Amino acid sequence: MKVIGNLDWRHPLVRLRIWVATPIQKLFAAIGLWKPARKDELECEQKDAVEAVGDRGSQLRLAYKTPRDEFTDATAIDYTPTGLAIKNGVCFARYSIRPPSTAEILKSRKIQPARTIPAGTVIEAETPYTYGDWVGDFVLALITAENIVEPLVLPKVLADKPYVLRDVNALGISYVIANETLRIENARILQKRIPSYYWGKPEVAAFRNKFNITPPSPKPGSMIYLGRFDTKSEAAQRVYPSETVARIVENLGGKVFDTREASPEKFDALAPEMETVIADQGSALFGVMHSQTKNVIELTQDDWWHSANLFIANGAGVENYAVIHLYEKSDDDLRNRIEGHLRDFGVIN
């Protein structure tokens, strides 16, 4: 269970750490040691209900109350290998890939750039830990921005992840890696314009367009299970009854896919088999953007569900979406719940 870095908010030590750090960081902000986002910049409103059934009902999309511009520009930004943006010794949250820790705030004034580049683009984000974070924040910025100043500057913490360079290369964007702190004389910051991952149809359309995805029609009656099996999460570890669900789906005539093998090419190949998708909660569900999926059943731990997949699926044209909580479900409970939703969706009799 990780306590420092990509936080698992369920862990009591994480809650304690945040409780201790919050007033200290407020004091540091008040005396000018760092510049967090202003309260009005983070304020959100709810809109655009999307329907789900099962253990979660209709969900509302979050949007910033004050819409943000595509980008802002800044001069003389020192950009660290961990993705923090520092100007005159002060860390700016709105230019960084995450808020700094208390220790990082104290070290900011001592950071010196190793070299200088004349210009480049960095991305404001909320969390930089998982593939879902990468797509939800960073890829979204790259596929919706029209004013990128190349090169894109990638912090080492991101560039070390294999899917990051894969996706940037697929988009044809030149980049440099901040293996050491870089001074960017003229920095363009692509601003985070959607809180969390509340994508809609325009965002999914942009993803499909930029990655040259033309989803084929799935085979009528096709069904696939996207199972996590022994996936080691980049965030807090989650455990799913993947073997059990695989047997249930196979008995219903569906296919099983181990998401440890997931890639854009694999989802392109699987798209004809994806009229109905049953999936463990996770970013593999982004695979519906490669298909014309009609039905989704998402399996999730009770305290680890986020509506991101629901909104992305809705943007991709999914018609029916069910959520099943896994807590204290027996094998028979799972089978009955899955079959019940499949009947409701008209998949089985």
Side-chain angles (χ1 to χ4, degrees), residues 269-297:
L270 290 171
E273 308 294 335
M274 294 175 64
E275 182 178 67
T276 296
V277 170
I278 300 166
D280 297 333
Q281 194 278 335
S283 57
L285 261 168
F286 293 2
V288 299
M289 292 191 284
H290 293 253
S291 70
Q292 293 185 43
T293 298
K294 182 179 178 181
N295 313 296
V296 169
I297 300 174

Side-chain angles (χ1 to χ4, degrees), residues 39-46 62-65 195:
K39 184 178 179 180
D40 64 289
E41 293 175 323
L42 299 175
E43 194 172 5
C44 293
E45 59 186 357
Q46 293 182 319
L62 287 183
Y64 290 119
K65 274 193 173 181

Side-chain angles (χ1 to χ4, degrees), residues 117-279:
I117 61 174
T121 290
V122 300
I123 296 175
E124 175 200 0
E126 190 173 358
T127 49
Y129 306 119
T130 69
Y131 178 69
D133 297 334
W134 166 249
V135 175
D137 268 347
F138 298 89
V139 169
L140 179 62
L142 295 174
I143 62 176
T144 57
E146 298 180 357
N147 298 281
I148 297 173
V149 174
E150 297 189 57
L152 174 68
V153 182
L154 290 169
K156 183 179 185 299
V157 69
L158 285 183
D160 284 347
K161 300 174 184 289
Y163 50 76
V164 169
L165 297 187
R166 179 199 70 193
D167 289 349
V168 173
N169 285 324
L171 292 169
I173 299 170
S174 65
Y175 61 87
V176 297
I177 299 173
N179 290 308
E180 53 195 354
T181 299
L182 300 180
R183 167 71 56 87
I184 309 172
E185 291 289 6
N186 295 284
R188 174 146 295 177
I189 299 94
L190 299 184
Q191 299 195 98
K192 182 173 173 61
R193 290 182 283 165
I194 295 178
S196 194
Y197 306 162
Y198 290 95
W199 288 32
K201 291 182 180 179
E203 291 74 32
V204 173
F207 183 90
R208 287 171 166 171
N209 177 55
K210 292 293 186 179
F211 285 102
N212 299 310
I213 298 168
T214 303
S217 297
K219 298 173 186 175
S222 59
M223 183 192 311
I224 195 166
Y225 170 51
L226 308 179
R228 290 180 66 90
F229 295 95
D230 292 324
T231 298
K232 301 302 180 186
S233 176
E234 294 176 284
Q237 190 61 28
R238 290 158 281 164
V239 178
Y240 296 88
S242 302
E243 299 289 349
T244 297
V245 177
R247 289 193 294 272
I248 293 169
V249 172
E250 288 176 332
N251 287 337
L252 291 167
K255 296 181 180 295
V256 174
F257 177 64
D258 186 335
T259 60
R260 289 173 294 185
E261 305 297 322
S263 70
E265 293 77 17
K266 287 287 179 65
F267 281 118
D268 284 340
L270 290 171
E273 308 294 335
M274 294 175 64
E275 182 178 67
T276 296
V277 170
I278 300 166

Side-chain angles (χ1 to χ4, degrees), residues 44-78:
C44 293
E45 59 186 357
Q46 293 182 319
K47 58 199 308 184
D48 304 332
V50 174
E51 189 66 29
V53 297
D55 292 327
R56 298 280 179 162
S58 177
Q59 301 292 311
L60 290 168
R61 186 189 314 276
L62 287 183
Y64 290 119
K65 274 193 173 181
T66 303
R68 297 178 175 183
D69 294 332
E70 176 187 309
F71 66 89
T72 189
D73 291 332
T75 58
I77 294 295
D78 295 331

Side-chain angles (χ1 to χ4, degrees), residues 2-9 11-25 98-104 129:
K2 294 196 175 184
V3 176
I4 302 297
N6 35 329
L7 306 181
D8 179 350
W9 63 85
H11 196 288
L13 290 178
V14 173
R15 294 179 183 274
L16 176 62
R17 177 176 176 262
I18 293 171
W19 181 78
V20 171
T22 297
I24 296 173
Q25 292 197 3
R98 58 169 173 79
S101 68
T102 304
E104 288 169 331
Y129 306 119

